[in-house]
Amino acid sequence: MASLGDSHILDLRHVSQTLGGNRILHDLSLGVAPSEFTAILGPSGCGKSTTLRLMAGLDRPNAGTVHMGGRDVTDDTPAMRNIAMVFQSYALYPHLTVAENIALPLVMRECKPTERVPFLGALLPGARDKLRDIGKRVRRIAAMLEIEPLLERKPGALSGGQQQRVAVGRALVRDPALFLLDEPLSNLDAKLRIQMRTELSALHRRSGKPFVYVTHDQTEAMTMADRVLLMLEGRVIQDGRPRELYERPAAREVAAFIGAHPMNLIDLPSPAGDADHPLTRLGLALPNHRGRITVGLRPEHLRCATAAADGFLKGRVERLEYHGRDTMVTLRLDGLETAVDLLQNAQASSLNPGDWVGLACRSTDVHLFDAETGGRLHPTPGGGT
Amino acid sequence: MMAPISRAWREGLTDLYLVGPTVLVLAALVFVPVLIVFVLSFTDYQLGDRSVTFVGFDQYVALFTDPIGRRAITNTLIYVAVMVPSSILLALLVATRLHGMAQWSPGLSRFLRAAYFLPVAATLVAMALAWQMMLHPSIGIVNMTLVRLGLPAPAWFSDRGLVIYTLALIGIWQTIGYNMVLFLAGLAVIPRHLYDAAEVDGVSSAWSRFWTVTWPMLGPTTLFVAVITATAGFRVFETVAALTGGGPAFASDTLVYALYREGFVYFKVGYASAITVVFFVFVALLTFIQYGLLQKRVHYR
């Protein structure tokens, strides 16, 4: 993580959070760069929503500080931080119309308590102009999100996608310093989710504001984000561009999490001095490592060797799964208790269950991890030691 | 040989077989008695009479013109008007406080919930005696305290202008616990993310949070509580019977107590039936107004 400190919009510095006796976050530090789309990716329970709530100011960390623009905002409310948040369940006020929902943050910020009294407030001098101005801004946002015809409806009468837009509108209207989105698409059906993904990306580009997007869906994180923070058990395991997470996973957990098809992870003894070791056969060496290793191979990077004996590993076809363009081949490895998947062009595939197959792979597509710590190992080319 | 019955007939018979018993029981225990009461209210029937004479609306005219009848009606309306809003407001206050208290002192919150609910579970007649002791004009703890503080000591049960309010006070005490439980249930299902959203939107004070989230979200609960409490208010009987017997001089007479007295003490069945019908119309009207007019406004469709 580069120490960009002051150029960040928001920084969490050494924050820890304990909820109900469970430590959710421990000494977490991260920053949000201006105008960047940052995704916090992780399985449920990894602390990503807790992190977002700390950024928002909805919760206060047990330890550590939150900084915005170089200022300590740990004790500031969400409104003081001028952040906007879109919730998974949209969290629209059911008794207010769409227009009133979108206007609420503006009314709260710009009108005095006396001016907020229903009916009577509007009679106060100045209040009417303020309300007219707010109404104008609400309509502008509604036009941008194409929800103008819905302005007088109640949220209960809207579809999930429409409610989503209203929630985004309520976040946009106040011109916030930072957008926080907590799994905003997970309540939508698959088709709408893809459409909203495109729209949110476009919205991010148009607004030029920093977005922090929490999700458990790697496709959302990988397709939308400029930068992905992969979180596991309260820690950021890897922080990088989507391409880095896929091509150079920093740890076994990242490798296992990222990728449309789960990566094959094969536990092997140290290759040191073993001329027949699969790594040696691939032309890779680990001169500085002695313990057991985990070899990571993506199904899409594995090929069948021309002859079964040519491969760096050998296995017997156990199952074939037809996917249209591709066929997923599951092999039981010879002499190991592991099965591996490989993805093959369906047209080219002529395999049958029971066939012996040799595995081939470019040595640059092989990921190596320490079997004990899970950390990434860097092999050197050349067989043997 | 049996003629084959058509499918529609067969399904019709099944429906009848399934619904029939319920309808019969309901008719025997509810609809027919209501109808009989309704018919009797147009007669001058007294228990033991060998014949009945239809007198039209005479019983109703008597109820609304007779000072005692009117007293019972106005007393009931006063009782409801005082008891219902106070009970709802206080129950809401108690529920919101206890709901918040559960965050920092769950044990105390649970204990207080039980304490507030006790009057609902207790035998009202026994509790009424306790009230009688406490509100005794000279040796009751309330008046003794008032006198010590140099305040006037009211005659809670014998002052004609005061007695109905005293009963309303006991009514409030008696219903708060039940309403509180309903409000607590309503509060428990308000989604937490709405409060989060409100906080992000700049709704910062407890007061505006209440009006932005809590109160609107409690709409359906409040409507239900209002209907239940109003119905209970119109039905007030036990405290009147146990504490005042409708006295002094009918100053605490209520519709149901009058109905009991006329019907079961004086056996004036026709007159008691008319009171019952009036009582029924009040409750039905109120429920209709509350549900018919407010239903749409609390469910936000």
Side-chain angles (χ1 to χ4, degrees):
Chain A
M1 246 177 284
S3 63
L4 291 163
D6 289 337
S7 69
H8 283 167
I9 286 285
L10 181 141
D11 275 292
L12 298 183
R13 294 192 190 158
H14 306 290
V15 295
S16 297
Q17 185 74 319
T18 309
L19 294 175
N22 297 320
R23 191 154 74 190
I24 312 290
L25 301 176
H26 181 61
D27 194 27
L28 179 79
S29 295
L30 57 88
V32 178
S35 75
E36 206 170 48
F37 195 124
T38 310
I40 303 181
L41 174 66
S44 53
C46 72
K48 54 189 192 300
S49 292
T50 309
T51 308
L52 200 72
R53 290 179 65 86
L54 291 181
M55 288 183 176
L58 286 169
D59 293 333
R60 225 185 150 281
N62 297 134
T65 52
V66 185
H67 294 258
M68 280 183 90
R71 210 166 53 82
D72 187 338
V73 294
T74 314
D75 294 320
D76 286 6
T77 64
M80 286 156 79
R81 297 180 189 193
N82 192 27
I83 55 104
M85 191 155 169
V86 177
F87 295 84
Q88 177 177 357
S89 50
Y90 320 131
L92 300 174
Y93 308 107
H95 62 292
L96 300 179
T97 63
V98 168
E100 288 165 336
N101 261 285
I102 298 178
L104 191 91
L106 295 181
V107 172
M108 280 295 157
R109 187 167 66 188
E110 289 164 27
C111 296
K112 292 192 265 304
T114 45
E115 294 169 344
R116 296 202 294 262
V117 177
F119 310 115
L120 295 177
L123 301 176
L124 292 171
R128 193 174 297 222
D129 290 338
K130 255 186 223 171
L131 290 174
R132 195 175 301 133
D133 175 55
I134 287 174
K136 218 179 283 168
R137 280 189 274 170
V138 168
R139 274 193 301 281
R140 200 159 54 223
I141 292 290
M144 194 170 104
L145 295 167
E146 291 164 26
I147 49 172
E148 268 177 311
L150 310 175
L151 280 177
E152 294 316 311
R153 295 227 212 133
K154 297 265 170 76
L158 305 183
S159 72
Q162 291 168 330
Q163 292 189 31
Q164 172 74 71
R165 278 160 206 265
V166 177
V168 170
R170 188 176 60 180
L172 271 177
V173 77
R174 76 190 91 175
D175 194 28
L178 175 65
F179 276 92
L180 304 176
L181 302 100
D182 188 6
E183 308 240 7
L185 304 186
S186 57
N187 282 358
L188 301 178
D189 63 55
K191 205 174 155 192
L192 203 55
R193 208 178 304 158
I194 293 170
Q195 186 194 338
M196 284 307 288
R197 225 153 66 190
T198 320
E199 286 191 20
L200 282 179
S201 289
L203 189 69
H204 169 249
R205 272 196 307 278
R206 209 163 45 215
S207 68
K209 302 271 176 187
F211 276 43
V212 177
Y213 187 102
V214 159
T215 181
H216 67 270
D217 181 343
Q218 54 161 310
T219 318
E220 286 176 15
M222 301 292 272
T223 54
M224 297 161 79
D226 300 316
R227 174 179 165 218
V228 178
L229 302 174
L230 190 93
M231 274 188 88
L232 286 171
E233 288 165 7
R235 289 179 304 129
V236 174
I237 303 286
Q238 190 165 1
D239 171 359
R241 316 257 143 211
R243 189 179 272 269
E244 287 164 19
L245 264 75
Y246 180 80
E247 290 178 358
R248 295 184 61 77
R252 189 173 46 200
E253 293 95 327
V254 180
F257 197 86
I258 300 289
H261 303 289
M263 185 188 268
N264 297 301
L265 295 167
I266 310 162
D267 201 40
L268 290 174
S270 166
D274 183 354
D276 205 32
H277 194 279
L279 270 195
T280 319
R281 301 182 65 168
L282 267 168
L284 295 171
L286 282 168
N288 301 320
H289 188 76
R290 287 284 164 270
R292 292 184 71 82
I293 56 162
T294 304
V295 178
L297 300 161
R298 294 200 184 277
E300 57 268 38
H301 292 151
L302 284 174
R303 280 173 289 116
C304 292
T306 30
D310 289 348
F312 67 99
L313 279 168
K314 200 168 69 152
R316 208 182 180 126
V317 176
E318 201 170 65
R319 206 161 66 96
L320 294 164
E321 209 174 66
Y322 178 68
H323 284 224
R325 193 171 77 95
D326 305 304
T327 298
M328 183 67 89
V329 186
T330 306
L331 298 170
R332 176 65 53 180
L333 290 180
D334 189 27
L336 293 165
E337 287 300 297
T338 335
V340 300
D341 292 330
L342 85 129
L343 210 56
Q344 246 199 343
N345 189 308
Q347 268 73 43
S349 178
S350 58
L351 293 170
N352 289 303
D355 291 354
W356 282 96
V357 172
L359 285 176
C361 176
R362 291 194 315 185
S363 60
T364 46
D365 288 333
V366 178
H367 306 276
L368 295 176
F369 306 102
D370 187 320
E372 302 273 322
T373 62
R376 187 178 179 88
L377 298 172
H378 301 279
T380 53
T385 346
Chain B
M1 202 178 92
M2 262 175 66
I5 41 175
S6 75
R7 192 194 162 96
W9 263 96
R10 224 169 35 235
E11 283 179 359
L13 283 173
T14 310
D15 292 350
L16 205 65
Y17 171 68
L18 292 172
V19 179
T22 316
V23 171
L24 273 182
V25 171
L26 267 180
L29 296 180
V30 179
F31 301 138
V32 171
V34 167
L35 196 72
I36 292 175
V37 166
F38 194 70
V39 171
L40 280 174
S41 73
F42 293 102
T43 69
D44 66 350
Y45 182 73
Q46 299 204 12
L47 205 64
D49 281 357
R50 287 177 187 280
S51 63
V52 272
T53 326
F54 277 89
V55 294
F57 283 94
D58 279 6
Q59 302 286 25
Y60 293 94
V61 173
L63 175 60
F64 282 98
T65 50
D66 175 36
I68 294 172
R70 276 161 67 165
R71 194 68 253 166
I73 292 172
T74 42
N75 274 344
T76 308
L77 292 176
I78 290 173
Y79 182 88
V80 169
V82 173
M83 188 276 262
V84 175
S86 320
S87 171
I88 294 175
L89 269 174
L90 288 171
L92 183 62
L93 195 73
V94 170
T96 47
R97 294 300 93 200
L98 289 186
H99 186 72
M101 188 190 277
Q103 300 279 320
W104 50 270
S105 177
L108 185 59
S109 176
R110 269 199 299 276
F111 170 76
L112 287 176
R113 275 170 213 216
Y116 273 106
F117 194 72
L118 214 58
V120 183
T123 314
L124 189 56
V125 176
M127 289 292 128
L129 285 175
W131 275 103
Q132 198 167 32
M133 295 299 187
M134 290 205 305
L135 296 176
H136 189 280
S138 51
I139 57 165
I141 187 165
V142 175
N143 278 11
M144 281 169 78
T145 312
L146 289 175
V147 167
R148 182 132 328 152
L149 292 173
L151 296 166
W156 298 98
F157 292 112
S158 42
D159 184 330
R160 282 194 220 174
L162 190 64
V163 64
I164 194 69
Y165 298 98
T166 308
L167 291 176
L169 192 76
I170 299 174
I172 294 167
W173 166 84
Q174 180 203 342
T175 48
I176 277 185
Y178 190 61
N179 293 344
M180 172 204 72
V181 167
L182 292 173
F183 276 125
L184 279 172
L187 285 168
V189 298
I190 298 179
R192 196 175 84 123
H193 57 72
L194 272 183
Y195 288 105
D196 289 343
E199 204 177 334
V200 169
D201 288 340
V203 180
S204 42
S205 69
W207 179 250
S208 48
R209 198 157 52 234
F210 178 81
W211 290 112
T212 314
V213 180
T214 313
W215 177 246
M217 293 309 285
L218 279 180
T221 310
T222 311
L223 175 60
F224 181 69
V225 167
V227 170
I228 292 282
T229 314
T231 319
F234 274 109
R235 272 210 314 262
V236 57
F237 173 77
E238 288 107 318
T239 42
V240 183
L243 290 171
T244 67
F250 298 103
S252 64
D253 202 18
T254 61
L255 268 179
V256 178
Y257 190 73
L259 142 66
Y260 159 77
R261 189 183 54 239
E262 301 298 331
F264 297 92
V265 180
Y266 303 148
F267 301 120
K268 288 169 24 187
V269 174
Y271 188 55
S273 297
I275 298 176
T276 310
V277 170
V278 168
F279 165 75
F280 173 77
V281 167
F282 271 136
V283 173
L285 208 67
L286 198 78
T287 311
F288 172 77
I289 290 171
Q290 288 175 320
Y291 270 109
L293 297 184
L294 295 174
Q295 183 86 303
K296 273 209 187 80
R297 302 197 45 187
V298 298
H299 281 109
Y300 317 122
R301 293 269 167 239

